[in-house]
Amino acid sequence: DGNAPPLTPPCQGGGQDGIMPLLSNEENKEITPPLSKGGQGGVSYVCELKIDGSALALTYENGILVRGATRGDGVSGEDITQNVKTIRSIPLKLNLDNPPPVVEVRGEAFLSLAVFEEINREREKTGEQLFANPRNAAAGTLRQLDSKVVDKRRLDFFAYTLYLDAGNEQNTQWDSLELLQTIGFKVNPNRKVCYSLDEVREYYEFWDTERRNLPYMTDGVVVKINSVLLQKQLGFTQRFPRWAIALKYPAQEVPTIVEAVTVQVGRTGALTPVAELKPVQLAGTTVSRASLHNGDRLSELNLHIGDTVIVRKAGEIIPEVVRVLAELRPQNAQLFQMPSCCPECAQPVVREKGEAVTRCINTSCPAILRGSLIHFCSRDALDINGVGEKLVQQMVDSNLLTSAADLYDLTAERLMGLERMGKKLADKLVSAIAQSKNKPYSRVLYGLGIRHVGTVNAQLLTERFTNVEDLATVSAAAIEGVYGIGPEIAQSVSQWFRVPANQSLIARLKIAGLQLHSEIKSQNLADINLQFAGKIFVLTGTLPTLKRDEAKDLIVKAGGKVTGSVSAKTDYVVVGEDAGSKLEKAQSLGIKILSEAELLELLVT
DNA sequence: GCCATCGGTA
DNA sequence: GAGAAAGGAG
DNA sequence: CTCCTTTCTCTACCGATGGC
């Protein structure tokens, strides 16, 4: 979803991050960041409509369209370049005399309401399942394997961001939009430069009603600081730029009834109450469940079974219970409270003082085991394709799996005893598991599911402690020495390695042949390239000739470092086919972006 | 050909 | 994708 | 204490794939 870089949601009342308070509260004249740096002194804003479709990143090399990518982490993303080429509003060739070697264009692919309805009429005739809404239809179409089908679906495209080489940059966002238009893109005509926040507010309010007359769906307005120089000065806070914001129109709210509340048990043992709702149509989808988060939220809502509640889709995506209409409560309705026993294993649950979550602490709770296994196999961890919820359920129930290490003892024959498991699937699975043995140490560490060790902290830890033995034997105090790791996390890690079951898990994974140490061992000094020394690289997408591991090797050998996620500390992002969120983040952080060719060139110099 | 499951996206 | 909670740095 | 980052958990839908 969304326009341009990820943007802050409208501020929820508090008012440090958005200009939403200005829009909803006339009295609040205080100008708040991120857009506060101007408004008077000649600072201008560009307002654009936020089209509800699917974000697309296009790469042009020497003026020719070579890649089209949606989001994703790019590791296993599909090639949608062929599909993108069927979109008529995307030029195959830039209308530019001397095109820079690489041009990146971002924009929104969408289906007009008319085309959407036409497609659904057609599908109704042929008895196919109807699309729920234009956004889903557009996203689904882009992933279609047969580009002829895509061609027929008549996708449209509005460009909104242009990235040129340094030196070729435009001075303002407005100029970028104009240039996009002259080089052959469709740019949404309903854009405007505003010179004050009052003007921005006017624009927002005008389109709140006017958008209903547009032939495509919009869900808000994007406001950007016009000056590129100022954008750079403002920079970025956390996940978002300080110079842009999305102002979303209020979500549609609808009443429904809570038929029941179920409690789910996550991999950490956390108990999450979920409202089972009488299904309602909302923002083009059917909503039947909504998270209630935790015990605190639950008591705040004072929710009873059978209550009528107001639900909405936060950001048009996530169902949320806004409030309970207590006056409509049936008599004798039962208050729902967090259970005192785990719904999976019936052991008593605990809630630590000062913490919001209620947890099952039974080390052999099957729900926790299942969750841990799913996490271990997940994409950011060992990326074992084909292992999903149902399969894990089956394998745990049939005692095929009692820990992640058991995965590496599985054979096709043993798997084929399971339901719906033929030779083909079983072979695929065994091969996927074998492949995971090559995944780097940091991913394995992440996959272990140690509390507070996500992708970032796993990376930090593996950099400092280059093999598990060190990490397992070192004191909590030593772990705390890592920048970014404090006492809580250090304690959590240290304790994890002191549990005998975990120690034997590590031992077995080691025997299975998993990577439990970083490869950056003895470095050949002669290979070190000054341009690479200490530089942090991130790879994204499928590179044209190199395998990911090969590219990583080359960088590491040259003295560089390859990490998994883009942050402010990243120096270069190497982009391949179907680059996803990392490219996007890199762009929004202004990090230097390299193609494979450029990387290789840098290596030889 | 239908159905369940999985992976990816918003 | 949203949002809540909680940890780390200063 | 505040600001920021990170972790963790949650939903709905669509297309692809393999089993039977």
Side-chain angles (χ1 to χ4, degrees), chain A residues 6 129 160 348 374 434 500 529 558 581:
Chain A
Q129 185 80 45
Y160 53 67
I374 295 276
N529 182 325
S581 57

Side-chain angles (χ1 to χ4, degrees), chain A residues 132-149:
Chain A
N133 57 52
R135 182 184 55 223
N136 283 338
T141 301
L142 284 169
R143 303 187 62 234
Q144 181 94 43
L145 284 183
D146 184 355
S147 56
K148 278 191 241 108
V149 177

Side-chain angles (χ1 to χ4, degrees), chain A residues 453-465:
Chain A
V453 180
T455 50
V456 175
N457 292 339
Q459 188 66 48
L460 287 173
L461 289 168
T462 55
E463 276 164 17
R464 171 66 185 77
F465 302 99

Side-chain angles (χ1 to χ4, degrees), chain A residues 276-470:
Chain A
E276 305 288 344
L277 307 165
K278 185 157 179 282
V280 274
Q281 286 302 117
L282 192 48
T285 65
T286 309
V287 171
S288 52
R289 325 186 65 203
S291 173
L292 296 166
H293 296 110
N294 54 48
D296 283 348
R297 291 299 310 255
L298 209 50
S299 10
E300 251 173 63
L301 289 169
N302 188 31
L303 184 76
H304 291 56
I305 308 297
D307 266 345
T308 299
V309 294
I310 299 294
V311 292
R312 71 169 169 213
K313 291 258 231 125
E316 308 275 290
I317 303 283
I318 309 291
E320 177 189 27
V321 173
V322 184
R323 61 180 184 278
V324 175
L325 302 179
E327 61 275 20
L328 296 180
R329 178 132 62 218
Q331 286 208 326
N332 308 322
Q334 195 71 45
L335 175 72
F336 184 84
Q337 286 177 303
M338 286 300 273
S340 53
C341 290
C342 172
E344 285 284 337
C345 67
Q347 296 291 306
V349 294
V350 296
R351 183 169 165 185
E352 291 294 329
K353 229 174 131 187
E355 291 207 340
V357 286
T358 307
R359 283 202 156 81
C360 170
I361 50 161
N362 172 12
T363 47
S364 50
C365 174
I368 297 177
L369 175 60
R370 290 197 305 267
S372 316
L373 290 167
I374 295 276
H375 174 73
F376 186 86
C377 298
S378 69
R379 192 159 78 167
D380 288 339
L382 282 107
D383 195 17
I384 301 177
N385 259 31
V387 179
E389 225 168 84
K390 296 288 174 176
L391 185 57
V392 163
Q393 171 92 270
Q394 274 194 73
M395 294 195 289
V396 168
D397 287 351
S398 61
N399 259 327
L400 232 45
L401 291 185
T402 54
S403 88
D406 290 341
L407 283 166
Y408 298 93
D409 295 335
L410 290 175
T411 58
E413 294 77 60
R414 291 220 274 158
L415 282 168
M416 280 167 70
L418 299 170
E419 269 173 62
R420 299 186 55 81
M421 177 68 68
K423 176 132 179 53
K424 200 159 176 176
L425 242 188
D427 284 344
K428 229 174 152 177
L429 229 41
V430 170
S431 134
I433 291 168
Q435 275 194 338
S436 74
K437 294 179 184 176
N438 300 324
K439 294 283 183 263
Y441 169 36
S442 58
R443 281 181 174 240
V444 182
L445 184 61
Y446 168 71
L448 296 174
I450 302 168
R451 285 275 296 284
H452 302 128
V453 180
T455 50
V456 175
N457 292 339
Q459 188 66 48
L460 287 173
L461 289 168
T462 55
E463 276 164 17
R464 171 66 185 77
F465 302 99
T466 52
N467 68 67
V468 246
E469 282 78 19
D470 293 351

